[in-house]
Amino acid sequence: MSTLTEVLFIERCINLLKPGGRLGIVLPEGVLNNTNLQKIRDYVESKAKIVLITSIPQDVFIASGATVKPSLLFFKKFTEVELKAYNHIVKVEKATEAALYKLESEKIIKTFADKPTAEQKKELKEKLKQLAAQLESKTKEKIKQRFDYQIPIAEVEKAGISTTGAVIENELEPLEEEFTAYRKANKLWTNFIEEVKYEIINENIFRMVAGEPEEFYGN
């Protein structure tokens, strides 16, 4: 699974974010819909909050040769407080899962003979495997319920470009205004505007921090 380009991009981008940092990325729509890629969603949900999912037309990238229906996904990496809260929930629910597995597996084992045949051992192994999968699924559901938050989902039919690459109506613009109002009302984050200046001193480029030069790029 790690050989999929989109998986590598997601992992790299999230790792590069600071706590509370935000990411917008274009991905094939199937990444969050395909049941075979559940591990990707589990990974994302363990590292960041999904703040918006926007489905856009397949036409958008046809002019560039891409035929997969895309989505715009926006994540916010957990802050240190959110990460601590999430890890605590996971720890509690995993402990509950382990206790339940021990209890239920012992019940299943008791239904078999003390010296099971090869066929019975195979059946026992399959039942224990099913039990583990069921409990794992319930644990994931409980974690989501306890770490619950709203995920806005939008469907855009016109995204500013046609199949030929021509400029058309762009429904993403009013969506941006709508989401900005939503973001502010729910205090998802606060934008801090900081002016950064660069100066060339003795053929070296310096970033000016609090009026003091900090070397940015040497000759």
mmCIF file of all heavy atoms in Angstrom, residues 1 15 48 66 85 93 107 117 131 158 177 190 212:
data_model
loop_
_atom_site.group_PDB
_atom_site.id
_atom_site.type_symbol
_atom_site.label_atom_id
_atom_site.label_comp_id
_atom_site.label_asym_id
_atom_site.label_seq_id
_atom_site.Cartn_x
_atom_site.Cartn_y
_atom_site.Cartn_z
ATOM 1 N N MET A 1 0.819 -1.204 0.000
ATOM 2 C CA MET A 1 0.000 0.000 0.000
ATOM 3 C C MET A 1 0.859 1.263 0.000
ATOM 4 O O MET A 1 0.514 2.279 -0.570
ATOM 5 C CB MET A 1 -0.929 0.005 1.214
ATOM 6 C CG MET A 1 -1.939 1.127 1.214
ATOM 7 S SD MET A 1 -3.023 1.062 2.637
ATOM 8 C CE MET A 1 -3.886 -0.465 2.330
ATOM 9 N N ASN A 15 3.577 14.717 8.012
ATOM 10 C CA ASN A 15 4.794 14.737 8.821
ATOM 11 C C ASN A 15 5.477 16.100 8.802
ATOM 12 O O ASN A 15 6.119 16.499 9.779
ATOM 13 C CB ASN A 15 5.777 13.666 8.342
ATOM 14 C CG ASN A 15 5.359 12.265 8.753
ATOM 15 O OD1 ASN A 15 4.544 12.098 9.643
ATOM 16 N ND2 ASN A 15 5.892 11.265 8.079
ATOM 17 N N ALA A 48 -4.536 13.804 12.260
ATOM 18 C CA ALA A 48 -5.102 15.114 11.935
ATOM 19 C C ALA A 48 -6.627 15.072 11.887
ATOM 20 O O ALA A 48 -7.226 14.006 11.752
ATOM 21 C CB ALA A 48 -4.564 15.576 10.573
ATOM 22 N N ALA A 66 -5.353 13.679 -16.753
ATOM 23 C CA ALA A 66 -5.804 12.859 -15.621
ATOM 24 C C ALA A 66 -7.281 12.521 -15.777
ATOM 25 O O ALA A 66 -8.081 13.394 -16.112
ATOM 26 C CB ALA A 66 -5.572 13.599 -14.313
ATOM 27 N N ALA A 85 -5.367 14.154 23.886
ATOM 28 C CA ALA A 85 -6.743 13.695 24.109
ATOM 29 C C ALA A 85 -7.036 12.457 23.263
ATOM 30 O O ALA A 85 -7.631 11.483 23.748
ATOM 31 C CB ALA A 85 -7.725 14.814 23.777
ATOM 32 N N GLU A 93 -9.735 2.733 25.129
ATOM 33 C CA GLU A 93 -10.557 1.815 24.329
ATOM 34 C C GLU A 93 -9.792 0.547 23.949
ATOM 35 O O GLU A 93 -10.378 -0.533 23.866
ATOM 36 C CB GLU A 93 -11.075 2.532 23.073
ATOM 37 C CG GLU A 93 -12.048 3.665 23.360
ATOM 38 C CD GLU A 93 -13.283 3.204 24.134
ATOM 39 O OE1 GLU A 93 -13.650 2.012 24.021
ATOM 40 O OE2 GLU A 93 -13.873 4.028 24.847
ATOM 41 N N LYS A 107 -14.102 -18.083 26.486
ATOM 42 C CA LYS A 107 -15.401 -18.744 26.319
ATOM 43 C C LYS A 107 -15.404 -19.626 25.075
ATOM 44 O O LYS A 107 -15.926 -20.744 25.081
ATOM 45 C CB LYS A 107 -16.517 -17.703 26.218
ATOM 46 C CG LYS A 107 -16.805 -16.950 27.513
ATOM 47 C CD LYS A 107 -17.924 -15.943 27.292
ATOM 48 C CE LYS A 107 -18.214 -15.147 28.563
ATOM 49 N NZ LYS A 107 -19.285 -14.130 28.337
ATOM 50 N N THR A 117 -8.626 -31.648 17.280
ATOM 51 C CA THR A 117 -8.032 -32.199 16.061
ATOM 52 C C THR A 117 -7.493 -31.041 15.221
ATOM 53 O O THR A 117 -7.736 -29.863 15.519
ATOM 54 C CB THR A 117 -9.089 -32.962 15.254
ATOM 55 O OG1 THR A 117 -10.127 -32.034 14.857
ATOM 56 C CG2 THR A 117 -9.699 -34.081 16.076
ATOM 57 N N LEU A 131 -13.342 -12.870 16.042
ATOM 58 C CA LEU A 131 -13.581 -12.142 17.294
ATOM 59 C C LEU A 131 -12.687 -10.905 17.365
ATOM 60 O O LEU A 131 -13.151 -9.808 17.703
ATOM 61 C CB LEU A 131 -13.304 -13.055 18.492
ATOM 62 C CG LEU A 131 -13.344 -12.381 19.877
ATOM 63 C CD1 LEU A 131 -14.744 -11.854 20.177
ATOM 64 C CD2 LEU A 131 -12.877 -13.350 20.963
ATOM 65 N N LYS A 158 -19.037 22.865 -10.848
ATOM 66 C CA LYS A 158 -18.220 23.699 -11.731
ATOM 67 C C LYS A 158 -17.060 24.272 -10.911
ATOM 68 O O LYS A 158 -17.273 24.978 -9.944
ATOM 69 C CB LYS A 158 -19.046 24.823 -12.335
ATOM 70 C CG LYS A 158 -20.187 24.325 -13.223
ATOM 71 C CD LYS A 158 -21.008 25.477 -13.770
ATOM 72 C CE LYS A 158 -22.151 24.974 -14.642
ATOM 73 N NZ LYS A 158 -22.991 26.100 -15.151
ATOM 74 N N GLU A 177 -15.937 31.447 0.742
ATOM 75 C CA GLU A 177 -16.547 32.446 1.630
ATOM 76 C C GLU A 177 -17.404 31.767 2.700
ATOM 77 O O GLU A 177 -17.366 32.138 3.877
ATOM 78 C CB GLU A 177 -17.391 33.419 0.813
ATOM 79 C CG GLU A 177 -16.577 34.277 -0.149
ATOM 80 C CD GLU A 177 -17.456 35.217 -0.947
ATOM 81 O OE1 GLU A 177 -18.681 35.285 -0.661
ATOM 82 O OE2 GLU A 177 -16.935 35.887 -1.858
ATOM 83 N N THR A 190 -7.028 30.485 14.003
ATOM 84 C CA THR A 190 -6.918 31.929 13.804
ATOM 85 C C THR A 190 -5.729 32.197 12.902
ATOM 86 O O THR A 190 -4.642 31.644 13.111
ATOM 87 C CB THR A 190 -6.701 32.661 15.152
ATOM 88 O OG1 THR A 190 -7.800 32.361 16.014
ATOM 89 C CG2 THR A 190 -6.636 34.168 14.944
ATOM 90 N N GLU A 212 16.619 42.068 12.869
ATOM 91 C CA GLU A 212 17.957 41.499 12.826
ATOM 92 C C GLU A 212 18.083 40.525 11.653
ATOM 93 O O GLU A 212 17.171 39.744 11.396
ATOM 94 C CB GLU A 212 18.265 40.760 14.128
ATOM 95 C CG GLU A 212 18.296 41.669 15.358
ATOM 96 C CD GLU A 212 19.443 42.676 15.302
ATOM 97 O OE1 GLU A 212 20.511 42.311 14.768
ATOM 98 O OE2 GLU A 212 19.255 43.807 15.767
#
